[in-house]
Amino acid sequence: MTDTIRYDRGADGIVTLTLDDPTQSANTMNRAYAASMCAVLDRLAAQLPAFPATLRKQLKGARLPAPEAILATAVEGAQVDVETAFTVETRHLIGLLTGQVAKNMIGAFFFDLKAVNGGAARPSGVDVAPVRRVAVLGAGMMGAGIAYACASAGLEVVVRDVSPEAAGRAREHAERLLARAVRKGRATEADARAVLDRITTTDQVDALTGCDAVIEAVFEDPALKKAVFAEVLPMLAPDALLASNTSTLPITGLAEGVDRPADFIGMHFFSPVDRMPLLEIVVGDRTGDEALARAFDLARRIGKTPIVVNDGRGFFTSRVIGRFIDEAVGMVVEGVPAASVEQAALQAGYPTGPLALADEVSLTLIQRIRRQFEAASEEYLPLPAHRLVDELVDAYDRPGRAAGRGFYSYDDGTRGRLWPGLADLVTDAGRAVPFTDLQERMLFAEALDALRCLDEGVLRTETDANIGSIFGIGFPAWTGGVIRYVRQYAGGPAGFAARAAELAQRYGERFTPPDDLVDRLAASAGRPAESVGTA
Amino acid sequence: MPSEAYVYDAVRTPRGRGRDTGALHGVKPISLVVGLIDALRERNPGLDVGRLEDLLLGIVTPVGEQGGDLARAAALLAGLPDQVGGVQLNRFCASGLEAVNAAAARIRSGWEHLLLAGGVESMSRVPMGSDGAAWATDPQTALATSFVPQGVSADLIATLEGFSRDDVDGYALRSQERAAKAWAGGHFARSVVPVRDANGLDILTVDEHPRPETTREALARLTPSFATMGEAAGFDAVALQKFHWLEAIEHVHHAGNSSGIVDGAALVLIGSEEVGRDLGLTPRARIVGAAVTGADPTLMLTGPIPATHKALAVAGLTLDDIDLFEINEAFAAVVLKYVRDLGLDPDRVNVNGGAIALGHPLGATGAMLLGTALDELERRDLRRAVVTLCIGGGMGVATVLERC
């Protein structure tokens, strides 16, 4: 029978089948198909060993169950008939569906996200006029990004900076992004033109006349921020929303610079604005419900996911990500190889290693923010990590990525190797810390500080904490968010507390869990967003 | 009555280059084995094949013409009596020594008295890896156990140990020099049996793989073999995720400082004291200790170190009692690491070169090394040798040999 099928394998490995007799039975056709499949599998087999390795490379070592199960299903299924393959697939799928990671991720990406975007944090029953014309103060990276986001959403935007050239950077930024969108077919020339037409750039205060919202995005200096508000206030609509894009400066303090603090609010955008979906809305002590409602509506209008937090230095996101970087740099100081610290974070599921992240943020900025914290609070604890950052910036002139040197060396913007000099700045070279401890020190440092944010009222809800941590500061997505991480830890909150106590004993008081942690989480359990496992 | 396990003889074929231009490419693997059985019978006229009980063959790629329990087929084709069995076994690169150790243990059990053990691999005819492997191709397994190919493991060892390209090339050069000197000095003469065709004409009489003309400069020009695989396919990432304190793997191994792909076979005649007395065979050595052990599977190639310790403990000996060491030169870094960790005098290790110069016919190498060590002990009139090989999957096998 098989002699009626011609089976040719080309140099490229592609198999061509020719059936000599068109009247052949279906059975013969099936055999031909089977033969061609064997040839395909043959070719595939040579590539197989690279697939798992490539997956591990792409996931940076994070052991996520779904991608692994998908690969396993595809390869295992290809060895058997299709019915059996479906059974194999089902077995893998059941394992994923009933697993903790799926519960975590459904909780965050379905329930929490829906609650946040649906306005759970927006004051109910507050009707406010939508923002139509936005003034953006400062055309730096953040200001330009905010202007583009607003214009893309159909809002009129006036960007003001100290000179026409400086303000023009906002337009150039938009042109660049729009050109890319057109090139990739995501926008037409006409769309792009319309967006650009909505952006006005100026160095004149008068040009802001009639704006019903202002988003200030100048340098992070309270005096400067107050000054630019004072300058533009007379031009704006009398009830204009007054928003400051700051990543750390307390809003209540900044609001002292304006005569109507009820309209003043923090809108903390994340960089790059066009790609980061999160917006952290910061409610100052005197911020009114109307301002919050308007800021929330504006955030939704420009497609952002707005979490709402109360005031406090660093708010939620900048404060908690600081714990992550401090812990990581602290481990380097202790003598843990810097490469291990990076690997520990990546394999825990963080998208970027903490040292690479610190370089991106810039060590100078980290240093400045910390000094602001130090100046503002007597309780601020000096950490060994701070010494290392100071040395890198002040003694070794390694301020971060922008300068081409920080924890890493950079060649023309591309990250190279870790700086070998780090090894000389540690207290206990070659110290061995269990890898799981490295990972959990970072995860726990963030989770414990998030719990404190809840205690102190900086965070209003666990939902905001979970969404903010994943979308704003790269907390591993598989956890379903920073507070859900506590809830889902082996043994639940009690298991988390026990492990935290163990870490406190080994690595320092900062890991001591709040006394009432277990009771408090038990009391608030069972709300819709938390009960996904049984929903 | 349990007996010591004696080595009565050891033979091997020359190694042919493992490609279609190699001298042994036209010779079937079964023919290599049959040729050695014939040679053993010729060399040992007293050998009554009626006393033989089994033929154990290490074969690492036991498919196609090396599949289907080639050992039994070879025993039959060689005209051994029907009662002589045949078994193929696979412990990757140590299969040949595994066969020897298994045979020795069976002799020491007292249940059997005369066995043939060795291995064969025609790498030019049955390509390495063509038998598949769950470890490499099953995603669940590979992901859970951090599978990487051996070359990446070898480069990982070099990186961890700080062996530079110059270090590994230097070792490779020494292997070539020692092998050349050994051939010139006739050090392999006792074991090597020419491969002849059916008409009695020589096909290959010497190892075909060595490049005695190699220079340090020539080695330095070779391109690393595992860099692309490591970087593009993600294997470096897998290794670094486990050996997380390293930032990168330095790819220092290449065709010139890794074991050569060759064709070849080897056999060792192992028996009890009683059978030797009965047949008038003179024992050349005793196998006084043997061991298998596992080691980190991603690092993969450090198994000889714990295996050596374990085999010495079995024999009640220490490193100081050993005169010569034969460790398979799978990759230069494997030998350098072994010498460093055990604190050995390099002049007692692989004194006649190794697989970098001579080649590594996977299933046969372990039995070949045993013969090489035995010949050299006799030539130098020394007493004991350790033979060991690193193994895929992260294992090690070692044998302690003592002259009678």
Side-chain angles (χ1 to χ4, degrees):
Chain A
M1 292 292 214
T2 46
D3 57 353
T4 56
I5 304 164
R6 281 213 315 277
Y7 172 88
D8 303 303
R9 185 170 184 165
D12 56 359
I14 293 174
V15 171
T16 317
L17 289 170
T18 319
L19 304 181
D20 289 346
D21 175 1
T23 65
Q24 286 172 115
S25 69
N27 202 23
T28 311
M29 293 290 288
N30 283 342
R31 273 203 300 276
Y33 175 72
S36 71
M37 284 309 292
C38 284
V40 170
L41 286 177
D42 222 29
R43 257 173 82 205
L44 196 63
Q47 306 292 328
L48 269 183
F51 292 171
T54 303
L55 184 67
R56 292 222 358 206
K57 183 183 181 184
Q58 285 173 348
L59 297 177
K60 300 172 188 168
R63 300 299 305 275
L64 300 182
E68 294 192 5
I70 290 166
L71 178 58
T73 300
V75 174
E76 291 171 22
Q79 325 276 335
V80 293
D81 64 274
V82 72
E83 287 304 320
T84 310
F86 288 149
T87 308
V88 168
E89 180 184 35
T90 302
R91 289 176 185 140
H92 281 296
L93 184 64
I94 299 281
L96 291 177
L97 283 175
T98 57
Q100 187 62 48
V101 171
K103 290 175 192 169
N104 294 345
M105 293 179 77
I106 292 167
F109 295 101
F110 185 75
F111 289 103
D112 285 353
L113 197 54
K114 209 167 144 183
V116 167
N117 284 332
R122 185 191 186 281
S124 53
V126 178
D127 278 336
V128 288
V131 168
R132 297 183 191 287
R133 188 170 150 87
V134 182
V136 175
L137 308 181
M141 194 172 61
M142 295 308 292
I146 293 165
Y148 174 72
C150 291
S152 299
L155 300 171
E156 294 295 324
V157 185
V158 185
V159 187
R160 193 230 166 188
D161 210 316
V162 290
S163 67
E165 295 73 33
R169 288 178 306 185
R171 200 183 167 79
E172 290 156 20
H173 176 73
E175 281 167 352
R176 236 182 352 262
L177 292 178
L178 287 164
R180 192 194 304 158
V182 169
R183 206 165 54 237
K184 297 199 166 176
R186 288 197 304 260
T188 64
E189 290 283 358
D191 297 335
R193 173 56 42 200
V195 172
L196 278 178
D197 285 349
R198 285 193 285 272
I199 300 176
T200 308
T201 63
T202 180
D203 62 339
Q204 299 298 310
V205 182
D206 302 356
L208 308 179
T209 303
C211 283
D212 49 9
V214 58
I215 302 174
E216 165 276 310
V218 300
F219 189 71
E220 293 271 61
D221 172 5
L224 176 64
K225 284 179 187 284
K226 284 179 188 171
V228 299
F229 269 108
E231 200 180 3
V232 305
L233 266 172
M235 305 299 142
L236 305 173
D239 60 346
L241 177 69
L242 309 175
S244 174
N245 170 57
T246 170
S247 59
T248 59
L249 300 173
I251 291 304
T252 307
L254 295 179
E256 286 165 8
V258 301
D259 55 2
R260 40 191 182 90
D263 293 333
F264 198 92
I265 198 160
M267 292 181 83
H268 174 201
F269 287 83
F270 293 77
S271 178
V273 178
D274 61 298
R275 290 213 300 272
M276 294 289 279
L278 194 75
L279 181 60
E280 184 178 33
I281 296 179
V282 187
V283 177
D285 289 353
R286 299 167 70 186
T287 304
D289 272 1
E290 289 202 353
L292 173 55
R294 292 190 80 190
F296 191 95
D297 294 350
L298 174 59
R300 291 302 297 143
R301 172 76 195 270
I302 62 175
K304 297 298 176 192
T305 292
I307 62 166
V308 177
V309 305
N310 291 328
D311 202 9
R313 192 164 287 274
F315 322 127
F316 163 58
T317 55
S318 299
R319 167 176 163 175
V320 170
I321 201 175
R323 299 293 79 72
F324 169 56
I325 292 175
D326 276 351
E327 196 58 36
V329 175
M331 296 191 290
V332 174
V333 174
E334 286 169 34
V336 175
S340 296
V341 173
E342 297 288 78
Q343 280 282 359
L346 295 172
Q347 293 185 46
Y350 286 99
T352 308
L355 307 179
L357 179 70
D359 277 357
E360 304 259 347
V361 172
S362 110
L363 301 182
T364 318
L365 178 59
I366 290 171
Q367 189 185 44
R368 198 174 67 236
I369 291 170
R370 185 235 311 158
R371 285 180 175 156
Q372 288 168 354
F373 271 86
E374 274 172 340
S377 164
E378 289 171 9
E379 295 163 30
Y380 197 75
L381 283 174
L383 293 172
H386 302 160
R387 175 185 64 76
L388 181 55
V389 170
D390 288 346
E391 283 184 11
L392 285 171
V393 174
D394 301 330
Y396 294 93
D397 187 29
R398 302 192 68 86
R401 178 171 198 151
R405 55 196 181 276
F407 283 102
Y408 289 85
S409 297
Y410 297 83
D411 183 15
D412 215 13
T414 305
R415 190 165 71 230
R417 300 262 180 113
L418 284 156
W419 181 48
L422 279 176
D424 300 329
L425 303 181
V426 307
T427 55
D428 185 7
R431 180 168 187 216
V433 174
F435 196 65
T436 309
D437 285 13
L438 296 182
Q439 296 180 310
E440 294 197 341
R441 280 174 66 173
M442 293 184 268
L443 293 163
F444 273 59
E446 291 195 274
L448 286 162
D449 204 40
L451 288 167
R452 278 180 224 116
C453 285
L454 278 172
D455 277 350
E456 295 165 17
V458 168
L459 274 169
R460 297 174 159 200
T461 65
E462 292 186 21
T463 313
D464 283 333
N466 289 331
I467 291 301
S469 65
I470 295 174
F471 288 94
I473 54 176
F475 197 76
W478 67 264
T479 63
V482 68
I483 301 295
R484 191 174 278 100
Y485 173 68
V486 177
R487 290 190 176 281
Q488 63 86 57
Y489 195 80
F496 177 89
R499 175 66 171 149
E502 190 177 86
L503 292 174
Q505 202 176 14
R506 284 189 204 168
Y507 304 108
E509 282 300 303
R510 63 194 178 283
F511 289 106
T512 305
D515 288 337
D516 60 346
L517 169 71
V518 177
D519 292 345
R520 193 149 46 80
L521 290 192
S524 60
R527 296 176 329 172
E530 312 304 335
S531 61
V532 33
T534 52
Chain B
M1 177 73 184
S3 161
E4 294 283 346
Y6 290 94
V7 175
Y8 287 102
D9 206 357
V11 291
R12 72 167 173 100
T13 66
R15 290 134 153 142
R17 278 200 199 108
R19 50 175 108 125
D20 55 12
T21 53
L24 298 182
H25 183 59
V27 182
K28 294 173 290 186
I30 196 169
S31 307
L32 295 176
V33 178
V34 169
L36 290 181
I37 295 173
D38 291 347
L40 277 174
R41 294 173 76 169
E42 251 174 63
R43 287 157 63 108
N44 299 281
L47 173 60
D48 173 4
V49 293
R51 297 290 292 272
L52 276 172
E53 290 163 281
D54 204 0
L55 167 63
L56 296 75
L57 286 183
I59 302 173
V60 176
T61 314
V63 295
E65 59 183 355
Q66 288 183 168
D69 190 0
L70 177 68
R72 174 59 174 167
L76 293 173
L77 184 63
L80 297 179
D82 287 354
Q83 70 266 23
V84 183
V87 63
Q88 174 266 321
L89 41 76
N90 184 5
R91 199 185 288 281
F92 299 133
C93 298
S95 298
L97 195 60
E98 177 70 21
V100 168
N101 290 351
R106 283 162 63 171
I107 298 297
R108 285 177 63 94
S109 77
W111 289 1
E112 291 169 296
H113 292 276
L114 193 58
L115 298 165
L116 275 174
V120 62
E121 206 81 38
S122 283
M123 299 179 76
S124 73
R125 295 171 66 103
V126 183
M128 177 167 50
S130 54
D131 57 335
W135 195 35
T137 62
D138 173 43
Q140 192 181 29
T141 310
L143 286 164
T145 60
S146 298
F147 164 79
V148 300
Q150 291 185 14
V152 173
S153 299
D155 289 336
L156 174 61
I157 291 172
T159 307
L160 283 165
E161 295 293 322
F163 299 141
S164 66
R165 171 73 185 259
D166 211 38
D167 293 335
V168 287
D169 281 356
Y171 182 81
L173 193 65
R174 195 167 67 189
S175 178
Q176 293 285 359
E177 287 165 357
R178 286 179 171 181
K181 215 153 122 191
W183 266 106
H187 301 183
F188 301 127
R190 179 151 187 192
S191 292
V192 173
V193 174
V195 175
R196 299 201 171 93
D197 67 13
N199 310 305
L201 300 175
D202 284 346
I203 296 174
L204 187 66
T205 58
V206 295
D207 290 326
E208 198 180 23
H209 189 269
R211 290 172 177 271
E213 73 285 3
T214 295
T215 61
R216 196 176 266 274
E217 293 68 36
L219 288 171
R221 280 195 296 272
L222 294 172
T223 311
S225 301
F226 310 103
T228 308
M229 178 194 283
E231 285 152 22
F235 292 114
D236 282 2
V238 172
L240 292 172
Q241 284 161 16
K242 190 164 180 180
F243 293 84
H244 45 76
W245 55 94
L246 297 176
E247 244 193 308
I249 293 179
E250 310 298 336
H251 291 285
V252 297
H253 288 95
H254 51 74
N257 56 29
S258 308
S259 51
I261 291 173
V262 292
D263 302 337
L267 280 181
V268 182
L269 181 63
I270 300 170
S272 64
E273 191 176 357
E274 181 191 318
V275 81
R277 226 176 16 242
D278 292 354
L279 302 182
L281 299 170
T282 311
R284 293 173 64 190
R286 277 189 316 140
I287 291 169
V288 296
V292 62
T293 184
D296 184 283
T298 307
L299 200 54
M300 201 177 320
L301 309 170
T302 57
I305 297 154
T308 298
H309 286 304
K310 193 175 170 187
L312 286 172
V314 167
L317 298 170
T318 69
L319 287 168
D320 293 338
D321 298 315
I322 305 304
D323 301 302
L324 296 172
F325 295 84
E326 277 290 328
I327 171 167
N328 187 36
E329 291 174 355
F331 302 91
V334 172
V335 186
L336 294 177
K337 164 93 173 146
Y338 182 78
V339 168
R340 175 182 283 181
D341 278 23
L342 296 185
L344 303 178
D345 172 2
D347 288 334
R348 291 175 178 275
V349 181
N350 295 2
V351 295
N352 290 320
I356 288 171
L358 300 165
H360 173 25
L362 307 176
T365 307
M368 285 188 174
L369 294 186
L370 189 102
T372 301
L374 178 53
D375 290 347
E376 191 63 16
L377 284 178
E378 289 174 348
R379 202 181 68 79
R380 298 187 179 207
D381 195 20
L382 295 171
R383 187 137 185 242
R384 296 193 192 96
V386 163
V387 179
T388 184
L389 300 92
C390 57
I391 305 173
M395 296 182 283
V397 160
T399 303
V400 186
L401 196 66
E402 182 177 294
R403 274 178 65 211
C404 294

